[in-house]
Amino acid sequence: MRLEKVLKEMQKRQLTHLIINDPSSIDYLINYKNNPGERMYLLLLSSDGHHKLFMNNLFYLDHELDIEQVWYSDTDNYLQLLADEFDGACSIGIDKNFPARFLIPLMNLVDECHFELGSECVDRVRMIKDEKEQQLMIEASKINDLVVDEVINICAKGNLTEEEVSKQLEGIYQKHGCVGNSFEPIVAYGKNGADNHHSGDDSRLKAGDSIVIDIGGLYKGYCSDMTRTVFYKEVSPKQKTGGIREDEMKVYEIVKKANEAAEAMIKPGVRLCDIDKCARDIIAEGGYTVEFNHRLGHFIGRDVHEWCDVSQNFDLEVQEGMTFSIEPGVYLQGEFGVRIEDLVLVTKDGCKVLNSYPKDLRIIGND
């Protein structure tokens, strides 16, 4: 069924062939996982139905596949083997991840063929989750709610660095049935929270620090992702007395309002760019523009970042079965950052917010 949907997308684009080398997409289509390293590994789809999987002799096939395999060794001219599949003036779609070290020599071997980016043929199919995938995303996010609560309680003790907290995440996820992290976790104290992709270091908590916790786990092949921001001991007294730092409480409430307003408008037919605008306008009304310096959300499933954004770059209409993040944020360099992120699943007449962990402003560490 999935292959048939991809073939229909190929037909729309008048592609005779599609080269897919993203292991995640290949697994999605034929239920086979492989980590090829630097060697060529690809699924070649053909409009005539003669699909082939190109495999190095070093790869391990642990079950039979209902697709022809083309095996090659390191000493074989494997690109010629691939080129031999194309006859005449073919129109070939290329995976966005296909390395130039393969693509450029291939183009020279079949210079009569037309090449174009063809990833959307798979991406547009993957972005609509079936019932089984939806259930796995729901379960993965329920686990993430439990894990973020554990992390917040660990932070509340106030005795661990960002790095020390981050290193505990993989074991916590495994305890809850996940393989481990779905991405490198972010645990950022105080001014480090203004760095969107901060890598945990030896920073320690101080009273008044915000704590940005952006984490996710990999559960039965599907990713979770969420962010909560809490405060340690207090909302800094400098803000309360009109000091030079911005009002953390004000920023937090603006971000929370943007998050909830964007989620409230999600339903089939609404454009992704309009969801982004809703959140961005609320943050701008609060006095922040450049301080919200990223897209509102990203699609997610087998990969934590899948094709398509909730941003001004996409006027695509939301469809039932889509899963993506809603994660507005405000980042004040040298001071603090606030981000609140949920995953949502688009339903027939709205959306289901997959994370139920509370979003009210919370001060920890006073117990």
Side-chain angles (χ1 to χ4, degrees), residues 190-229:
K191 65 180 182 180
N192 294 336
D195 177 1
N196 303 45
H197 290 144
H198 177 70
S199 182
D201 58 26
D202 60 358
S203 296
R204 293 187 178 276
L205 280 168
K206 305 181 300 296
D209 275 349
S210 61
I211 309 172
V212 177
I213 301 168
D214 187 346
I215 59 175
L218 182 60
Y219 176 73
K220 296 184 179 180
Y222 284 78
C223 299
S224 60
D225 184 8
M226 70 180 295
T227 308
R228 291 294 184 266
T229 303

Side-chain angles (χ1 to χ4, degrees), residues 7 21 50 80 87 90 106 135 143 209 223 263 288 290 296 304 330 336 345 355 358:
L7 290 172
N21 84 298
H50 292 97
Q80 187 61 59
D87 182 22
C90 299
L106 177 64
Q135 187 58 41
I143 290 172
D209 275 349
C223 299
E263 291 174 354
Y288 303 102
V290 296
L296 178 63
V304 71
V330 170
F336 66 96
L345 166 64
N355 299 104

Side-chain angles (χ1 to χ4, degrees), residues 3 5 28 47 66 78 113 170 233 258 262 273 300 336 355 358:
L3 277 174
K5 291 179 179 179
Y28 173 79
S47 58
D66 188 24
Y78 49 85
C113 291
E170 186 169 5
K233 295 288 187 182
C273 56
I300 185 171
F336 66 96
N355 299 104

Side-chain angles (χ1 to χ4, degrees), residues 43-82:
L43 175 63
L44 177 64
L45 300 186
S46 300
S47 58
D48 62 7
H50 292 97
H51 315 313
K52 295 183 180 181
L53 182 68
F54 283 74
M55 300 276 284
N56 187 283
N57 288 334
L58 293 176
F59 298 161
Y60 179 67
L61 190 58
D62 59 355
H63 63 278
E64 289 189 12
L65 297 175
D66 188 24
I67 192 167
E68 182 180 348
Q69 294 114 50
V70 178
W71 292 89
Y72 71 89
S73 70
D74 286 347
T75 56
D76 289 335
N77 188 347
Y78 49 85
L79 284 173
Q80 187 61 59
L81 289 175
L82 177 59

Side-chain angles (χ1 to χ4, degrees), residues 65-349:
L65 297 175
D66 188 24
I67 192 167
E68 182 180 348
Q69 294 114 50
V70 178
W71 292 89
Y72 71 89
S73 70
D74 286 347
T75 56
D76 289 335
N77 188 347
Y78 49 85
L79 284 173
Q80 187 61 59
L81 289 175
L82 177 59
D84 290 343
E85 298 293 327
F86 308 120
D87 182 22
C90 299
S91 181
I92 305 170
I94 300 296
D95 194 314
K96 59 181 178 290
N97 296 315
F98 196 49
R101 68 179 183 274
F102 299 143
L103 175 58
I104 293 175
L106 177 64
M107 294 174 72
N108 291 331
L109 289 172
V110 288
D111 56 6
E112 73 277 14
C113 291
H114 166 72
F115 289 82
E116 65 179 78
L117 190 62
S119 293
E120 283 191 28
C121 294
V122 182
D123 293 336
R124 286 182 177 272
V125 176
R126 285 183 58 176
M127 74 192 307
I128 307 297
K129 306 299 187 284
D130 61 30
E131 289 186 8
K132 181 179 179 181
E133 291 180 297
Q134 292 177 27
Q135 187 58 41
L136 288 171
M137 291 297 297
I138 291 169
E139 292 171 8
S141 289
K142 285 181 179 179
I143 290 172
N144 220 16
D145 284 341
L146 298 175
V147 174
V148 80
D149 186 61
E150 287 195 39
V151 174
I152 288 173
N153 288 331
I154 290 170
C155 290
K157 298 175 183 177
N159 60 339
L160 296 181
T161 66
E162 296 172 340
E163 184 177 19
E164 288 169 337
V165 175
S166 297
K167 285 183 175 179
Q168 296 190 39
L169 261 297
E170 186 169 5
I172 295 173
Y173 277 115
Q174 290 173 349
K175 181 181 68 175
H176 286 282
C178 295
V179 173
N181 302 314
S182 57
F183 61 93
E184 190 67 26
I186 298 172
V187 178
Y189 301 161
K191 65 180 182 180
N192 294 336
D195 177 1
N196 303 45
H197 290 144
H198 177 70
S199 182
D201 58 26
D202 60 358
S203 296
R204 293 187 178 276
L205 280 168
K206 305 181 300 296
D209 275 349
S210 61
I211 309 172
V212 177
I213 301 168
D214 187 346
I215 59 175
L218 182 60
Y219 176 73
K220 296 184 179 180
Y222 284 78
C223 299
S224 60
D225 184 8
M226 70 180 295
T227 308
R228 291 294 184 266
T229 303
V230 296
F231 299 87
Y232 183 64
K233 295 288 187 182
E234 62 188 9
V235 177
S236 177
K238 289 184 179 180
Q239 284 76 260
K240 295 178 181 177
T241 58
I244 59 173
R245 291 180 61 185
E246 296 285 350
D247 187 337
E248 289 177 335
M249 189 176 297
K250 170 192 170 186
V251 171
Y252 187 91
E253 294 303 329
I254 290 170
V255 172
K256 178 173 176 282
K257 181 180 178 182
N259 167 275
E260 293 176 341
E263 291 174 354
M265 70 177 293
I266 297 170
K267 62 181 180 180
V270 174
R271 299 188 304 170
L272 293 169
C273 56
D274 293 332
I275 301 170
D276 177 272
K277 186 176 186 301
C278 170
R280 208 164 296 278
D281 285 350
I282 289 171
I283 289 176
E285 289 168 5
Y288 303 102
T289 53
V290 296
E291 294 85 1
F292 179 16
N293 56 12
H294 56 77
R295 61 194 174 187
L296 178 63
H298 58 83
F299 278 62
I300 185 171
R302 286 175 176 253
D303 298 319
V304 71
H305 286 175
E306 296 193 341
W307 178 77
C308 206
D309 299 339
V310 186
S311 75
Q312 62 183 356
N313 293 329
F314 287 90
D315 62 0
L316 191 70
E317 291 185 355
V318 168
Q319 299 177 55
E320 183 179 0
M322 289 180 172
T323 53
F324 50 82
S325 66
I326 296 295
E327 49 181 302
V330 170
Y331 312 94
L332 298 164
Q333 299 301 313
E335 298 189 18
F336 66 96
V338 172
R339 181 165 63 253
I340 301 173
E341 174 188 14
D342 300 309
L343 297 187
V344 300
L345 166 64
V346 182
T347 60
K348 184 177 180 180
D349 54 4

